[in-house]
Amino acid sequence: AQSVTQLGSHVSVSEGALVLLRCNYSSSVPPYLFWYVQYPNQGLQLLLKYTTGATLVKGINGFEAEFKKSETSFHLTKPSAHMSDAAEYFCAVSAPGTDKLIFGTGTRLQVFP
Amino acid sequence: DSGVTQTPKHLITATGQRVTLRCSPRSGDLSVYWYQQSLDQGLQFLIQYYNGEERAKGNILERFSAQQFPDLHSELNLSSLELGDSALYFCASSGAKLKPYNEQFFGPGTRLTVL
C-alpha cells in the first residue's frame, strides 16, 4: 500500500524567501513521486516528477525536489518565492505500472509582499 | 490549457438525482482517469479506463459508474446523489501506450453541488 503525508496544510512566506513544502511517502515498492500545483478554480498541473535516476529533479517555475530514500521524503523547494507561486500544492505517489495517483492532503502556499 | 476538456463546468442538483459528467481526453491519449476532490476526503482516485476497458478502480461508490466510448471520451455517472457527493470531479488523460510511467494531464474539473 502507498500513502503520502504532507506536513503543514498552510505555509506562508514573504516574497523572495525560501519555499519549503514537505512530503513524506510510504511505499512497499520503489515509488514514482510527483508534485502538482493547483491554482484557484483550475485543474492540477504537474510541477515535477521522480521516476528513476537522478534524485534531484528540477521542475517548472524554478521548483525542485529531492528524493531521499533513507528519509522517505520528497520535499519541494524554491529558492525565492514569487507572488504568483501562491497556490495549493499536492504531493503524490504511484507504483510503477499502476498509474493510480495517491495524493497527499495538500499544502496551501501564501506569499506576502 | 492541458488539452483535456470537461463539461459542464458547474452542476447544481438535488439529493436523489442522477447526473453525467463528460470528459474529452487530449488528442491521442487512450487512458482516462477520474478523481474526486472534496473537503472531507481530499483528492481521491476513482477509476481508470484504457482504450474503452476498465483498467483500475479506486474508491468509487457503487452509485457511481463510468465508461469510455469508442471515440475515447468518457462519462462519469453519479446516481442517488447525496449531500456528501458535492465535490470537484477531475478527469485526466495520459499516453498512447501503457508504460511504467504515464504523465497525467488534468482537465479543469466539474464542480458538483448537491442541495
Side-chain angles (χ1 to χ4, degrees):
Chain A
Q2 298 175 301
S3 65
V4 170
T5 301
Q6 289 184 244
L7 295 174
S9 58
H10 290 83
V11 170
S12 297
V13 300
S14 299
E15 194 172 19
L18 171 72
V19 175
L20 171 60
L21 305 183
R22 298 179 186 274
C23 172
N24 287 88
Y25 70 90
S26 172
S27 178
S28 54
V29 296
Y32 289 166
L33 294 160
F34 310 84
W35 276 99
Y36 282 84
V37 60
Q38 184 179 26
Y39 297 102
N41 301 313
Q42 294 189 29
L44 285 85
Q45 181 183 10
L46 182 66
L47 273 180
L48 49 80
K49 63 183 183 288
Y50 169 79
T51 52
T52 57
T55 56
L56 181 63
V57 292
K58 295 186 185 299
I60 61 172
N61 302 337
F63 285 94
E64 61 182 40
E66 187 170 9
F67 170 61
K68 291 188 176 180
K69 186 178 177 182
S70 60
E71 297 177 9
T72 60
S73 69
F74 191 58
H75 302 330
L76 181 71
T77 60
K78 182 173 179 176
S80 176
H82 192 272
M83 295 295 288
S84 61
D85 294 328
E88 186 137 24
Y89 292 80
F90 292 91
C91 183
V93 63
S94 74
T98 68
D99 283 352
K100 178 172 96 171
L101 290 170
I102 307 297
F103 285 93
T105 50
T107 298
R108 185 167 296 279
L109 176 66
Q110 286 185 301
V111 182
F112 293 101
Chain B
D1 185 351
S2 67
V4 178
T5 60
Q6 290 187 247
T7 57
K9 200 168 184 179
H10 300 277
L11 199 47
I12 301 175
T13 188
T15 55
Q17 296 298 304
R18 173 189 166 95
V19 296
T20 297
L21 312 183
R22 183 188 168 102
C23 168
S24 292
R26 294 187 321 155
S27 177
D29 282 356
L30 297 180
S31 271
V32 168
Y33 312 77
W34 287 98
Y35 292 86
Q36 179 196 58
Q37 184 179 32
S38 66
L39 289 175
D40 291 345
Q41 304 289 333
L43 255 171
Q44 287 198 101
F45 167 76
L46 295 178
I47 197 162
Q48 177 197 1
Y49 277 82
Y50 176 78
N51 204 18
E53 300 290 326
E54 183 184 303
R55 175 162 167 78
K57 217 167 187 175
N59 299 324
I60 189 166
L61 299 172
E62 284 191 14
R63 299 184 284 110
F64 296 1
S65 64
Q67 54 184 327
Q68 186 180 26
F69 294 86
D71 67 353
L72 301 176
H73 91 271
S74 177
E75 291 181 358
L76 179 67
N77 299 296
L78 315 176
S79 61
S80 303
L81 285 167
E82 302 175 359
L83 296 177
D85 297 328
S86 295
L88 196 50
Y89 291 85
F90 286 110
C91 169
S93 74
S94 74
K97 292 183 181 179
L98 292 175
K99 299 179 290 189
Y101 165 65
N102 294 283
E103 180 175 343
Q104 297 181 32
F105 295 86
F106 282 77
T110 292
R111 184 168 294 282
L112 173 66
T113 303
V114 181
L115 301 175

